Structure formats: structure tokens, C-alpha cells
Amino acid sequence: MDFSSKLLENAVYEMSQLPGIGKRTALRLVLHLLKQPKGRTDKLALALQDLRNTVKFCNNCHNISDTELCEICINPKRDATLVCVVEDIRDVMAIENTGQYRGLYHVLGGKISPMEGVGPQDLTITSLVHKAKNGEVKELIFALSSTMEGDTTNFYIYKQLEGLGVSTTTIARGIAVGDELEYADEVTLGRSILNRIPFEASLKAN
Amino acid sequence: MDFSSKLLENAVYEMSQLPGIGKRTALRLVLHLLKQPKGRTDKLALALQDLRNTVKFCNNCHNISDTELCEICINPKRDATLVCVVEDIRDVMAIENTGQYRGLYHVLGGKISPMEGVGPQDLTITSLVHKAKNGEVKELIFALSSTMEGDTTNFYIYKQLEGLGVSTTTIARGIAVGDELEYADEVTLGRSILNRIPFEASLKAN
């Protein structure tokens, strides 16, 4: 693209460094900001810098937090013996939104992926194992995505926990509520039949 | 969404104010910045603020420019008697990329749209008419999108220029180069037949 202004070119370049934002979209976003009052741009810039410069992560679960321990970890009503292992904080938000979970979380910060150069030492696995060794945890729920990387990570953690007396579970995979059977993929449908649950239990879940 | 951090919530909110960026996308973008070195966020914030605070528009064509007059307007090789009327600076960039145009531009800053509350006084029409009255312009090329708003704007300007001896043209509408006739919409196909050009002329265009 041929920009008439170096300032514009620079702003579009920086914006297009964000994931999924191409040059054209970046230009559209930047031109939008130009049409808005100056305060809009200042607020956006400040909000991003504020977050980036003062971001904290919960010392216990590694969720993003404005305090040393996040609101979930300090909540006395939550069951601290139950820990749900997730990839990143978006998963925490998704599970929190269901209103169905009363335990704590452990945010790994990714999955083990040799292809992308992510090893166990890049994740918060050590602190998870440490928690388990302290006897704080009774049950660990694996809620990583069911990809090869997710399965590898689950298995790696599972091996680390051997002999610590922590029971491990994984979230149920199956046909989404409201989905038609005929459109489900075979792996999901297969698993949902193998891992069928007593009908009475399904009534309780609603 | 239930954020564990006010800073995060604020950053996501500001990001989601951009057009086409929903809350989920905003969260993805913000979390991406968190995983990057601090410098990335600072550069983005600074680039946006720099542009917004010091942006200038060319005094002649209203294109974004770092100087009083943009590079196109001060280029002595460009034909100043030929002016292409466009909606915004993205159109300037698109036409410049073709390398086919040697005249100047006039950026209106939008289209007349009573529905969106945009009247002639919100656009740079006065300065365009002023240019035409000074006798600087011989031909005006309308290159607005062919919507009702675009057509209205074209006609409004056309009426303003009556009696000034400026010839007005509009860019050719027709089947895109490489497109199959059978998939073209009827209006476009109809226009491309009505506005057919001599075959020899089409040879020159390539």
C-alpha cells in the first residue's frame, strides 16, 4: 500500500501486527479513530498501556488479577481442593460464565507443543505440582482442548502427579446440548456413546 | 463477560469500540499484547496517538498528509486540471495502486446521506466548487461508490458546477476483468453492455 503519510503508515503497521488484523483492516480501524474525537484514541492507548505495564497474575492460579491473589482464589466459598486446569484466562472466563463451577483454577499459559517450541518449563506446571504435593488438591479437572498438544499436556501433568493421591478427571466430551446427532463428527459421537452417563445423573445436571 | 481484572476489562472495552471488533476479538487482541514484550504495546499506543494528535490533511485535496500539501498535489508531473472525486483516502490509495491515473484527487470525506445525518456542509464540497470556479479544473471524475448516497452526492456536485465549463465523467462500471459473465449481477451486466466501448479502445487500455 502506498501511504500519503508516514504517521498513517506507522499506525497501520503497528495495528496490523495484531493477530488476525491485516493491512486493510488495520487501515479501516485507524481511519475510524481519525474520525472520532481525540479522546477515543487516548483512552484506547492508555487502557492498553495501563494493562500491559501494571498487569499482575494471581500468585496461586496465574489468572490475570489486579491483586496478588485473584478474586476466585480468595473467595472462601470456593472449594480449594478442586482445581480445574485450563490453557488460558479465556477458558476461566468461559467456565465462570456457566455458573456451574465452585472450585479453583490453574492457568497453564499454553499447551506443551514441541512444534511451537513450548516445553513444560514454559508453562506453570511446576507450581501446579507444588500445589498438589502440599496436599491442597484432591481433584484435578483437565479442561484443555482435545488436540494432540492438549492430550500431551494432560498426560505429562498426570505422570507428574503419580503417587500424590490426587484424583484426575477430564471434562465430558460429547454432543453439544441442542445439536443434531447427524451433524456431529464421528469422534465426538463415538466418545459420547462410550462415556454415556446414567439417565438420572443427566436429570440432575439441568 | 466476567473479567478477573478491571484493567483487562477496560482494555477490552476500549478495543471493542473499534468497528467490527467484538468483545471476544478484543479480548484475543489484548491477551496477545500481554504475551508480547512491553515495547509492542507502547509502540502501538504511541503510533495511534502520534497520528491522531498531529494528523494533517492536504489543503488542496483533503488527503491525509504530513505536510500542508500532499505529495500528489505538489508533484509537478501530475495533471492539475484533472480531479478525481473520491469518498475517502482509501479510495485514493486504491486508485494510486493501479498506477493508471496521473491527475489529482479531491477527498470528500463521505457521501451525502440524510439517513446518517451527513449533509453537503459536512463534506469538502465547497472547496471543490471553489477550485472549479478558479478555473483550475477541466475535468472532474466521479469515483464514488454507485449507491443511492453516491449517486446523490455526484448529482449535487454536478448541479453546483453547472455553467463553470467543467466536464464531468464517472468511472466505468462493468464486469470485472477476469470475471465470468454468468456470475455477474444484472445491473452491472446491463450497464456494461449499454456503455460498451470501441474494441480498439479496449486494446489500448491494457
Side-chain angles (χ1 to χ4, degrees), chain B:
Chain B
M1 275 196 273
D2 194 21
F3 292 96
S4 56
S5 153
K6 282 273 166 224
L7 289 168
L8 178 65
E9 184 170 3
N10 190 31
V12 169
Y13 171 78
E14 290 297 339
M15 194 65 111
S16 70
Q17 296 302 296
L18 293 172
I21 307 284
K23 282 254 166 164
R24 271 164 194 269
T25 306
L27 178 61
R28 191 164 53 81
L29 298 180
V30 167
L31 290 181
H32 172 83
L33 283 175
L34 275 182
K35 284 187 183 169
Q36 300 284 311
K38 279 185 189 179
R40 268 264 63 93
T41 306
D42 291 335
K43 273 186 182 174
L44 171 63
L46 206 68
L48 293 178
Q49 285 183 304
D50 255 14
L51 173 66
R52 189 63 190 84
N53 292 328
T54 62
V55 68
K56 284 198 198 76
F57 294 91
C58 172
N59 281 341
N60 187 49
C61 73
H62 308 283
N63 190 5
I64 290 180
S65 169
D66 294 341
T67 45
E68 293 289 298
L69 288 170
C70 75
E71 285 177 19
I72 296 171
C73 285
I74 57 167
N75 186 343
K77 289 182 183 163
R78 312 280 303 218
D79 181 357
T81 67
L82 185 61
V83 172
C84 183
V85 181
V86 294
E87 199 182 321
D88 76 15
I89 78 139
R90 277 182 288 176
D91 304 319
V92 174
M93 290 168 63
I95 296 175
E96 282 300 287
N97 279 342
T98 68
Q100 297 284 333
Y101 182 64
R102 306 308 299 163
L104 305 186
Y105 296 92
H106 189 91
V107 181
L108 287 179
K111 289 172 290 191
I112 296 173
S113 169
M115 294 284 285
E116 290 172 26
V118 181
Q121 72 287 350
D122 300 315
L123 309 175
T124 62
I125 294 178
T126 312
S127 106
L128 177 62
V129 173
H130 188 73
K131 253 190 264 182
K133 280 188 177 156
N134 282 351
E136 298 165 24
V137 186
K138 283 186 187 154
E139 181 183 345
L140 214 67
I141 306 170
F142 291 122
L144 303 191
S145 53
S146 55
T147 57
M148 200 168 71
E149 287 83 9
D151 292 346
T152 304
T153 312
N154 288 344
F155 193 70
Y156 181 89
I157 296 172
Y158 172 77
K159 289 304 254 181
Q160 299 280 310
L161 298 178
E162 263 183 346
L164 295 176
V166 176
S167 80
T168 47
T169 55
T170 114
I171 57 166
R173 307 284 175 184
I175 308 296
V177 177
D179 266 14
E180 310 259 11
L181 286 205
E182 57 178 324
Y183 299 122
D185 68 284
E186 287 164 26
V187 179
T188 302
L189 187 54
R191 277 218 213 178
S192 79
I193 289 170
L194 285 175
N195 303 328
R196 61 195 178 278
I197 60 162
F199 184 62
E200 288 87 353
S202 78
L203 294 175
K204 260 182 260 168
N206 288 317

Side-chain angles (χ1 to χ4, degrees), chain A residues 4-171:
Chain A
S4 57
S5 153
K6 283 273 166 225
L7 289 168
L8 178 65
E9 184 170 2
N10 190 32
V12 169
Y13 171 79
E14 292 297 340
M15 195 63 112
S16 71
Q17 296 301 296
L18 293 171
I21 307 285
K23 283 253 167 164
R24 271 163 194 272
T25 306
L27 178 61
R28 190 164 52 81
L29 298 179
V30 167
L31 290 181
H32 171 83
L33 283 176
L34 276 182
K35 284 185 182 170
Q36 301 283 314
K38 280 185 188 179
R40 268 266 65 90
T41 306
D42 291 335
K43 273 186 181 171
L44 171 63
L46 207 68
L48 294 178
Q49 286 183 304
D50 255 14
L51 173 67
R52 188 64 190 82
N53 291 328
T54 60
V55 67
K56 283 198 199 76
F57 294 92
C58 171
N59 281 342
N60 186 48
C61 73
H62 308 282
N63 190 5
I64 290 179
S65 170
D66 294 341
T67 44
E68 294 289 299
L69 288 171
C70 76
E71 284 177 19
I72 296 171
C73 286
I74 57 168
N75 186 343
K77 289 183 183 164
R78 311 282 301 217
D79 180 357
T81 66
L82 185 61
V83 172
C84 183
V85 181
V86 295
E87 199 182 321
D88 75 16
I89 77 138
R90 276 182 290 176
D91 303 321
V92 174
M93 289 167 64
I95 296 174
E96 281 301 288
N97 279 342
T98 68
Q100 296 285 333
Y101 182 64
R102 304 309 301 164
L104 305 187
Y105 295 92
H106 188 91
V107 180
L108 288 179
K111 290 173 290 192
I112 296 174
S113 171
M115 294 285 285
E116 289 173 26
V118 181
Q121 72 286 350
D122 300 315
L123 309 175
T124 62
I125 294 178
T126 312
S127 106
L128 177 61
V129 174
H130 187 73
K131 252 189 266 183
K133 279 187 179 155
N134 282 352
E136 299 165 24
V137 186
K138 282 186 187 155
E139 180 182 346
L140 213 65
I141 306 170
F142 290 122
L144 303 191
S145 52
S146 56
T147 57
M148 201 167 71
E149 287 82 10
D151 292 345
T152 305
T153 311
N154 288 344
F155 193 71
Y156 181 90
I157 296 172
Y158 173 77
K159 289 304 254 182
Q160 300 278 311
L161 298 178
E162 263 182 347
L164 295 177
V166 176
S167 80
T168 46
T169 54
T170 112
I171 57 167

